[in-house]
Amino acid sequence: MEQVALDALSQIIPESRMFLDLAERYCYSYDASFGEYLPEVVLQPINVKEVSELVKLANVHKIPVSPRGAGTSLSGGPLPVKGGMVLDLTLLRDKLIIDRENMLAIVSPGVITAAIHKKAEEAGLFYPPDPSSSNVATIGGNLLENSSGPKGLKYGTTKEYVIGLEVVTPTGEIIRTGGKTVKNVTGYDLTRLIVGSEGTLGIVTEAIIRLIPKPQSRKTFVAHFNHFIDSGHAITSILSSGILPSSLELMDQACIRAVESYRPSGLPLRAEAILIIEIDGHPLAIEEEINKCADICRAKGASYVKIAESEDERDTIWSARKLVSPAITQMGPTKISEDATVPRNRIPAMMERLKQIRDKYELNLVVFGHAGDGNLHPNIITDKRNKAEMKKVELAVSEIFEAAIELGGTLSGEHGIGTLKSPYMEMELGINGVNMMKKIKEAWDPNNILNPGKIFPEKGQTKVVLVT
Amino acid sequence: MNAPATSNKENGAVQQLHTDAYDWTNQCVKCGYCLPACPTYESMGVESASPRGRINLVKLAAEGKIDFQKDLSGPIELCLGCRACETACPVGVPYGHILEAAKEAIAPYTPKKMKKLKKLALVHLFPYPERMTLLGNGVMFYQKSGLSKLVRSSKLLKKISPALAHLEQALPPIESPSKRFKPGTVIPAKEETRLRAAFFTGCIMDSMMSRINRLTIELLTLVGCEVVLPANQSCCGALHSHQGEAMQAKALAKRNIQAFMQIDADVIVNNAGGCGASLQEYEQLLADDCEWAGAAMDFSKKSQDISQILHHLGPLPFTEEYRGIVTFQDSCHLRNVQKVQKEPRLLLQSIPGIIYVEMEGYDRCCASGGIYNLLHFEESMKILDGKMNDLNKTMATTIVTVNPGCQMQMNIGIQKDGAANHIKSMHLVEVLAKACGLK
């Protein structure tokens, strides 16, 4: 970066929030995905004016800008792949207002998502998207990556709740999209365009989020299946019976075994699948619905069904699911976590394909995920220092995406495209589909400064490269 | 621009770091779940002050991408070592070990002034019980002679070091040596003997807070412990480990194991969260030492916090009500390393008359952190201010701690706030002893 640009930056932001030394820059070179890219400078703006001025300057000097929150992305969204400046927005967190009458929240991007959950609940309201990183991740990151979590099945993803934004465009203007009304059909829906744009179209500096009434009650049960195909039938039967669970989670046999060898807790080693199902709503309704779901599981061949009768029993059921991450990382230090998503009736077919991929490449591949909405998390556990195996991982990852697309699904259900899935965009959208998106990007960001290297593949890039 | 200022390869400690800590750092999946647990990340707001940041910097240093002296020492020195991140970590990265390996590697680069202070305390003071006693007596003389009043009114200490000035005021009144139980003594149980307990006196506890040690022993005898005070015991070595002095820490560990294992006790009891954690980690500290590993494991298995013993053998024979609102500040090392959380709370709640209130952020470090508050005074005070804010919200009249550092740090906070007339900081043992009518 030229000295003149650095001097100009220091006119905008004080020294205490501008980092040039190596250690600090390295601290913003990673996220929770894969890859390490060193930025030239890290800046911590604290208001929209600073963001706007920084971006204007970057646009003049053609400096790449990578916005980031807490860096929990699993797809490489915040990585400064072209160097330049990282904008750490975690200090932009002064606003968290709950508007009870209008059932909405007005938030700064650096606010932690769990803080919104907490504040909303205190007002008797509910913000449903619940990525597993919600205690860490910022709402700005969540909405630019369009994250969700187990509750996506019933409540949808982040985009269903964002109704208004304040955005700094790639040329540094401050614009507002949408507003405080649930109904808003004025012009193009820029709010929806920006949510999930992975920081390539704008930097969100304020968001208006829709809240809904808090469900009165919830109930959970677990079902074990000796045959995977039976669990698939149970899922489709439940969903077609008129019941909409708030979560419907799945663990495969490799997952069950990993958890059981990590912390023995009586999980069935012979089972090919475990389903965890939670229903929320009116206490009388959920009582009836949970029993009906349990009956369906039994009828479809579940070997064991247990409805939690207390909060402790509920915790025990969920703890198996929560132990998945620590359990699988015992198998190796590098975890490639995917979120290929298929129409839910194709889950058994997808599982079969994943099994074939696991056998073909002889990899540690386990699957868990949000089965109710078809959002599976195939995780490959490996060691990035083992280059030969990493080459196999690259091929396996390609095949996972191919399988998802062939089955009518999508590359990403909740992690975003980032750097890891960009090579496969054409596979899902076709060349014209990708070009249309590129035209939008070019119109918004003529100098390609905002989060370059994300979503769109580099020229000639056809598959993910994890090691060189 | 990115080349290390000095070649890391030539540094033996760095090589060591590569062998000791590199695999541990690779266990980190960078999920960031540790960030909200970290007090320095909260107060400083930068990734390099977070566990994830520090782990990755250690990794980069071992890979030779950054320089030890220039890039790593700052972020590592600023860690409190509270290890709350270990509790939050979903994949079990052994942060404490990474931190200690890093401290050992950067120790040769510590600035001269700091090195002198550390050396004085760590090498020439803490390991010598007799010197600690002398120091304690000196402080007692200083407090009782009126000299302390003179020093305070002259504000002399404040001019030399605000950190020391605060610490001086935070020291509790020191009890006369005549009231101490002597090393080597056996104190019989009050009634039926239910357990034989060897008591670990600690260095600071023994010299500056000997009253708490005496009360600990008396409480133990009340619940049926025969208490043995092994002679030749020494400082636990926690501060040495935390400052990268692993060799010293190991030597002290061996001395303690030798002193305690000669005695056929059922349990080894301590009353300081930080020391207790260190005693429980002798097992890991000496795991590679075939001569000592077995004994270290036995020693660690026998080590327990006073709250565990009193809760286990209780209820205590309370004779007085304790009036007031009481809240509890966890000792990080008791909570995060020894995993003892409920016993102190249950004991407090069992005291007649007590109104127990949980404080928001009870599980967050008070930033005493061994001698962190001396070495990094400003950062420490920033965190302490947040803690005092939480404390004030509870309306508590007593804040209870289980570690000398925390107790003094809370004293500093109370004095800074000018709240000494309505809040006091007490060790759990003092509160329990008071309710049992012990003076």
Side-chain angles (χ1 to χ4, degrees):
Chain A
M1 196 178 295
E2 293 162 25
Q3 191 55 42
V4 49
L6 285 174
D7 291 344
L9 283 177
S10 59
Q11 296 297 308
I12 301 170
I13 229 163
E15 202 186 328
S16 60
R17 292 189 274 115
M18 174 169 166
F19 305 103
L20 287 163
D21 60 316
L22 193 60
E24 295 294 343
R25 288 189 288 129
Y26 259 123
C27 280
Y28 295 88
S29 68
Y30 53 79
D31 62 2
S33 72
F34 205 88
E36 181 184 287
Y37 301 89
L38 193 62
E40 289 170 85
V41 60
V42 178
L43 301 145
Q44 293 185 310
I46 53 166
N47 56 45
V48 61
K49 190 167 162 279
E50 285 182 353
V51 177
S52 158
E53 284 181 36
L54 289 171
V55 175
K56 272 184 190 156
L57 189 88
N59 193 44
V60 170
H61 292 272
K62 301 196 172 50
I63 303 164
V65 180
S66 304
R68 79 182 258 144
T72 60
S73 171
L74 290 162
S75 62
L79 296 177
V81 293
K82 306 280 179 190
M85 59 167 93
V86 160
L87 294 193
D88 171 20
L89 295 160
T90 52
L91 297 188
L92 226 167
R93 58 183 174 210
D94 53 324
K95 211 174 285 173
L96 170 48
I97 302 163
I98 304 288
D99 178 346
R100 207 158 173 263
E101 283 185 347
N102 291 309
M103 295 219 290
L104 46 89
I106 302 166
V107 296
S108 304
V111 168
I112 306 289
T113 305
I116 303 174
H117 288 146
K118 191 164 164 255
K119 271 258 187 159
E121 277 197 27
E122 282 166 11
L125 296 170
F126 183 39
Y127 174 62
D130 60 339
S132 57
S133 58
S134 63
N135 283 315
V136 187
T138 61
I139 187 68
N142 274 186
L143 64 89
L144 282 175
E145 295 291 331
N146 205 352
S147 333
S148 53
K151 295 208 177 78
L153 166 63
K154 180 169 178 179
Y155 295 104
T157 61
T158 300
K159 68 182 170 200
E160 262 80 48
Y161 296 87
V162 184
I163 56 172
L165 294 171
E166 178 187 76
V167 180
V168 173
T169 69
T171 43
E173 290 88 11
I174 302 169
I175 62 165
R176 282 206 163 261
T177 73
K180 289 186 175 180
T181 57
V182 174
K183 283 184 170 178
N184 181 330
V185 294
T186 308
Y188 292 151
D189 190 353
L190 296 184
T191 311
R192 280 250 175 172
L193 182 59
I194 289 161
V195 174
S197 66
E198 305 189 20
T200 60
L201 296 181
I203 298 172
V204 171
T205 49
E206 187 183 292
I208 302 169
I209 291 168
R210 194 163 63 93
L211 304 174
I212 60 174
K214 189 180 155 192
Q216 289 176 34
S217 192
R218 66 183 175 201
K219 220 148 185 187
T220 309
F221 81 97
V222 62
H224 301 167
F225 292 87
N226 287 340
H227 303 288
F228 193 86
I229 189 83
D230 294 342
S231 70
H233 289 142
I235 294 168
T236 43
S237 299
I238 288 170
L239 295 171
S240 57
S241 72
I243 298 170
L244 190 53
S246 54
S247 326
L248 206 170
E249 296 287 296
L250 168 103
M251 285 164 65
D252 78 343
Q253 193 172 42
C255 247
I256 298 167
R257 291 190 170 170
V259 169
E260 203 48 28
S261 73
Y262 173 68
R263 192 169 299 164
S265 35
L267 296 185
L269 292 174
R270 281 181 48 233
E272 284 188 358
I274 289 181
L275 293 182
I276 298 172
I277 300 173
E278 190 158 288
I279 292 179
D280 66 8
H282 191 280
L284 295 176
I286 62 172
E287 191 64 40
E288 193 184 314
E289 287 180 351
I290 197 104
N291 287 323
K292 199 167 161 191
C293 287
D295 288 343
I296 292 171
C297 285
R298 284 191 204 100
K300 295 294 170 190
S303 58
Y304 172 83
V305 173
K306 165 82 187 158
I307 299 174
E309 296 301 338
S310 65
E311 202 55 18
D312 274 354
E313 287 183 7
R314 177 179 178 268
D315 288 346
T316 310
I317 290 177
W318 278 109
S319 78
R321 172 70 176 76
K322 286 185 182 136
L323 283 171
V324 169
S325 272
I328 61 179
T329 46
Q330 306 301 311
M331 302 176 191
T334 306
K335 189 172 84 144
I336 314 281
S337 179
E338 291 302 351
D339 68 331
T341 301
V342 293
R344 50 199 170 211
N345 66 344
R346 306 311 301 271
I347 288 175
M350 185 65 184
M351 289 300 289
E352 190 48 43
R353 293 285 292 270
L354 290 170
K355 208 161 145 187
Q356 287 163 6
I357 294 168
R358 170 167 55 212
D359 294 345
K360 178 172 169 190
Y361 293 104
E362 294 173 319
L363 291 168
N364 259 332
L365 193 160
V366 306
V367 188
F368 57 93
H370 319 304
D373 49 27
N375 184 190
L376 295 176
H377 289 307
N379 272 249
I380 300 172
I381 320 301
T382 173
D383 186 340
K384 67 181 167 211
R385 289 167 290 186
N386 180 347
K387 291 205 171 173
E389 185 161 290
M390 289 306 285
K391 284 289 154 200
K392 290 201 291 183
V393 174
E394 289 173 1
L395 297 173
V397 166
S398 297
E399 284 193 28
I400 290 172
F401 294 136
E402 278 161 23
I405 304 288
E406 275 172 33
L407 292 169
T410 178
L411 295 172
S412 178
E414 59 182 14
H415 292 175
I417 299 300
T419 55
L420 291 181
K421 298 174 200 172
S422 55
Y424 309 99
M425 285 289 275
E426 264 185 39
M427 191 161 80
E428 181 173 341
L429 301 170
I431 189 159
N432 291 331
V434 175
N435 279 342
M436 192 64 216
M437 286 190 182
K438 276 189 178 161
K439 279 183 204 163
I440 295 173
K441 167 71 175 168
E442 281 158 16
W444 280 66
D445 186 5
N447 291 317
N448 192 28
I449 59 147
L450 203 50
N451 217 7
K454 312 295 162 62
I455 302 182
F456 304 111
E458 299 289 321
K459 221 176 167 148
Q461 198 184 0
T462 55
K463 73 174 181 59
V464 68
V465 179
L466 299 171
V467 280
T468 44
Chain B
M1 182 177 183
N2 295 350
T6 53
S7 170
N8 289 332
K9 292 237 161 58
E10 289 160 18
N11 182 338
V14 175
Q15 292 283 0
Q16 180 97 33
L17 189 66
H18 203 281
T19 27
D20 283 357
Y22 191 59
D23 278 346
W24 291 326
T25 63
N26 269 298
Q27 286 176 31
C28 172
V29 293
K30 302 188 186 127
C31 65
Y33 284 22
C34 54
L35 300 183
C38 178
T40 57
Y41 177 68
E42 187 183 37
S43 69
M44 297 184 216
V46 285
E47 179 83 11
S48 64
S50 77
R52 179 176 66 177
R54 290 182 177 117
I55 291 167
N56 279 287
L57 288 174
V58 170
K59 181 165 163 269
L60 291 164
E63 286 172 355
K65 287 183 181 161
I66 61 166
D67 181 66
F68 265 73
Q69 190 178 359
K70 210 169 92 227
D71 304 313
L72 185 64
S73 57
I76 290 297
E77 292 276 3
L78 282 170
C79 173
L80 280 158
C82 73
R83 294 170 68 176
C85 49
E86 284 183 34
T87 309
C89 179
V91 299
V93 176
Y95 179 82
H97 298 331
I98 296 173
L99 178 69
E100 278 174 17
K103 288 229 163 160
E104 207 179 336
I106 61 174
Y109 302 121
T110 314
K112 261 191 188 152
K113 192 178 150 199
M114 223 172 248
K115 215 180 202 165
K116 266 192 184 161
L117 178 72
K118 276 187 199 168
K119 200 170 176 186
L120 175 74
L122 299 181
V123 181
H124 298 298
L125 196 58
F126 295 145
Y128 297 96
E130 57 281 15
R131 291 183 196 172
M132 287 301 287
T133 308
L134 262 177
L135 177 72
N137 292 347
V139 175
M140 185 191 70
F141 171 75
Y142 166 80
Q143 287 174 340
K144 297 217 161 142
S145 66
L147 192 61
S148 73
K149 279 188 191 141
L150 190 73
V151 169
R152 281 181 205 179
S153 63
S154 74
K155 297 198 172 116
L156 178 70
L157 214 46
K158 212 165 199 166
K159 278 174 209 152
I160 302 170
S161 154
L164 273 178
H166 276 292
L167 197 67
E168 186 268 340
Q169 290 192 39
L171 273 177
I174 293 180
E175 193 169 73
S176 153
S178 62
K179 290 195 175 174
R180 274 182 221 174
F181 291 106
K182 298 278 171 297
T185 359
V186 179
I187 305 108
K190 278 277 180 296
E191 285 164 19
E192 178 203 356
T193 305
R194 298 162 73 190
L195 268 186
R196 189 171 152 87
F199 180 55
F200 178 81
T201 53
C203 52
I204 295 180
M205 289 305 290
D206 193 38
S207 58
M208 307 287 174
M209 300 191 177
S210 61
R211 180 170 170 266
I212 296 174
N213 273 2
R214 175 176 61 79
L215 293 172
T216 303
I217 295 166
E218 290 177 13
L219 283 174
L220 283 169
T221 60
L222 274 186
V223 293
C225 286
E226 176 187 69
V227 184
V228 191
L229 291 182
N232 297 324
Q233 56 172 306
S234 182
C235 166
C236 68
L239 295 175
H240 303 80
S241 293
H242 299 165
Q243 297 304 328
E245 305 288 340
M247 292 294 285
Q248 268 262 314
K250 283 180 189 170
L252 290 167
K254 289 175 187 172
R255 201 162 126 191
N256 281 322
I257 293 169
Q258 198 159 39
F260 278 84
M261 293 323 261
Q262 288 171 359
I263 290 160
D264 186 29
D266 302 310
V267 281
I268 297 167
V269 190
N270 73 85
N271 60 7
C275 307
S278 167
L279 303 182
Q280 280 206 340
E281 294 201 317
Y282 281 0
E283 190 181 339
Q284 284 110 301
L285 185 71
L286 297 172
D288 297 332
D289 189 324
C290 30
E291 198 186 327
W292 288 86
M297 200 202 285
D298 294 342
F299 181 97
S300 291
K301 288 222 160 71
K302 276 191 181 182
S303 285
Q304 283 195 43
D305 182 67
I306 178 70
S307 64
Q308 293 174 286
I309 305 280
L310 294 180
H311 180 253
H312 175 62
L313 296 179
L316 283 158
F318 295 119
T319 56
E320 291 176 19
E321 285 202 340
Y322 190 95
R323 301 227 167 247
I325 303 172
V326 172
T327 191
F328 181 67
Q329 161 67 32
D330 281 280
S331 143
C332 298
H333 286 95
L334 186 61
R335 182 185 183 85
N336 302 324
V337 184
Q338 300 185 68
K339 314 278 184 212
V340 176
Q341 301 164 8
K342 62 176 198 296
E343 287 88 346
R345 290 180 166 78
L346 291 171
L347 284 168
L348 284 172
Q349 286 162 6
S350 71
I351 298 174
I354 223 160
I355 303 166
Y356 182 81
V357 181
E358 203 69 87
M359 169 174 67
E360 204 182 317
Y362 53 81
D363 55 347
R364 292 184 88 80
C365 184
C366 64
S368 154
I371 49 173
Y372 187 91
N373 52 4
L374 276 179
L375 300 175
H376 306 286
F377 180 67
E378 275 172 31
E379 287 309 332
S380 169
M381 290 304 116
K382 236 194 272 173
I383 296 169
L384 179 60
D385 288 346
K387 178 66 65 189
M388 294 311 290
N389 208 6
D390 290 334
L391 173 59
N392 290 335
K393 280 191 230 154
T394 63
M395 313 285 282
T397 49
T398 307
I399 177 151
V400 177
T401 61
V402 280
N403 188 56
C406 315
Q407 195 182 352
M408 287 204 273
Q409 179 82 342
M410 296 321 301
N411 262 334
I412 294 176
I414 291 166
Q415 276 161 10
K416 267 183 69 185
D417 271 15
N421 55 354
H422 62 268
I423 310 176
K424 55 188 166 196
S425 134
M426 286 171 85
H427 192 285
L428 173 70
V429 161
E430 292 179 287
V431 180
L432 293 171
K434 190 166 187 301
C436 289
L438 302 173
K439 294 258 154 56

